[in-house]
Amino acid sequence: MTNPAATARLAGRREWTAFTVLLLPLLLVSMDVSVLYFAIPAITEQLDPSATQQLWIFDSYAFALSGLLITMGSLGDRIGRRRLLLTGAAAFGLASVGAAYATSAEMLIAARVLLGIGGATLMPSTLALVRNLFRDEKQRGKAIAIWSGAMTGGIALGSVLSGVMLNHFWWGSVFLINVPAMLLLLVLVPVLVPEFKDPAPGRFDLLSVPLSMAAVLPVVYGLKEIAAEGFEPLYLGCLAVGLAFGYAFVRRQRTRDDAMVARALFRARGFGAGIGLNTLAAFAMLGSAYFTTQYLQSVLGMGTLEAALWSLAPSVVIGAAAPVSAALAQKADRAYVIAGGFVLAAAGFALIGLVGTDSLWLLLTGAGVLASGIVTVMSLVSDMALGAAPAEKAGSAASLLETGTEFGGALGMAVLGSLGTAVYRGDLAGAEPAARETLGGAVATAHRIGGEAGEQVLTLAREAFVHGMQYAAWGGTALLLGAAVLAVALLRGTGAAPAPTPAAVPLEHEAAYN
């Protein structure tokens, strides 16, 4: 005899088909992070942006995305996650057309902002809908594992796809990739995905919207600039301003019944710990990418498309990591599987710490091992945090996870990047200012000098960069080993996700979706 209630909770073919459709916006939003890597020379030639405008063409998308994640997650809980997803998909598609046919740098920046706003609606909506579609813990773990792998793969795929498109079409084509996918989403989601929302959300706290943005944006901006320029007073001031607004935001959430971030989220043991560990995982992932992309291009001398294609190699093992970890988590305490993921990632960082100036396969092996460990961690802690959160607050829970990812990535680039840069500049203390500033500056200086002297500058700069990367890798190794210990201490014995609450049932009759 089987338990009818348990059987009813299992997702069927319709839910898995809906999940496949939900991977579309996830792939596109993650691809848009890297889609401009190859397009910027053509954009510079056509639109002639200033140096500041070129920076904002890159960063405006990430800033709009990170600044609005918390707001959009809460909004989805109130108006319905499917409705927010469809609204965001329409906005993302229209903004993509605007970006593709931009006639000025200002117009492209504005389109990128709109893309970021659309992306902020799509990311938490898709993850929250996964939480609602899959109420069985085992199925949800499998789905989130696939979701995590798709997000990681999308970032790598974006740069390669943009390079292929630019070989055949004009620069705007990298944005038009989004349009047919979003049209397909607008057609299929109303048919396949049921609506979910909080039946009693309370008033929407409008003041928390600017407070959350004022907390997130200065911190993300300060961390990104510290990674690029070092510890300047302006950027440290941005961190201080963001932290001050963050304190005000948290204080407001703790004292209001209609808070944007419900206090009930943090009552479950696995939720807060999951957010923190997810942030550490993003720290390692983006911190390592800061070095590996430069290594392929500036140390090994690869072209951008060749480097992007080689960077896909670690994805071969990433695809298997998340499903394997989800299966292990069904048989052992998830705390130990998560800790094992951190140890695996630390081993990858340790391999990167052994890389020399001509170690392509060692670098790729280290990057693959590191990424496999990180995807293991991110998929399991995401599942744990979402499972611990009340189903009616899945949008807010997903947005906090995504915000933690943004913070962790920016912090990883800032901390590990600054460590590597300090070692690099110390090794080149007597070099020309441009060569001592960055490896890219050293490459330009070497080409300008030419001859044997130029080759000597380039050799010294490459050795100094690798030296700095080694120090950063060993620092990352120590951090991840500490995170493994932290995972066991915080999560050991954490129970299974709670049974679905009535709010987890689709608003339409449940029988229509089983």
Side-chain angles (χ1 to χ4, degrees), residues 231-238:
F231 290 93
E232 299 292 334
L234 173 62
Y235 309 138
L236 294 175
C238 288

Side-chain angles (χ1 to χ4, degrees), residues 66-78 84 120 124 204 208-210 212-213 249 260 396 399 403:
S66 59
L68 286 170
L69 280 170
I70 294 175
T71 297
M72 293 304 180
S74 178
L75 186 62
D77 288 342
R78 286 166 165 78
L84 184 65
F204 187 71
S208 287
V209 175
S212 67
M213 294 180 69
F249 176 75
M260 181 180 289
S396 294
S399 69
T403 301

Side-chain angles (χ1 to χ4, degrees), residues 122-203:
L122 298 175
M123 293 292 277
S125 296
T126 55
L127 188 53
L129 285 168
V130 170
R131 164 69 173 89
N132 295 133
L133 286 170
F134 299 97
R135 289 168 286 159
D136 174 75
E137 182 184 356
K138 185 175 181 180
Q139 288 187 319
R140 187 181 65 243
K142 181 179 179 181
I144 291 179
I146 297 171
W147 190 92
S148 300
M151 181 178 65
T152 305
I155 296 174
L157 186 61
S159 59
V160 176
L161 189 58
S162 69
V164 173
M165 294 293 290
L166 288 166
N167 280 342
H168 298 88
F169 306 103
W170 94 111
W171 64 265
S173 64
V174 301
F175 295 107
L176 290 183
I177 298 169
N178 300 330
V179 177
M182 288 302 164
L183 290 175
L184 186 63
L185 194 73
L186 290 171
V187 172
L188 294 179
V189 165
V191 178
L192 295 171
V193 181
E195 181 64 285
F196 299 89
K197 65 179 181 180
D198 188 345
R203 292 189 308 166

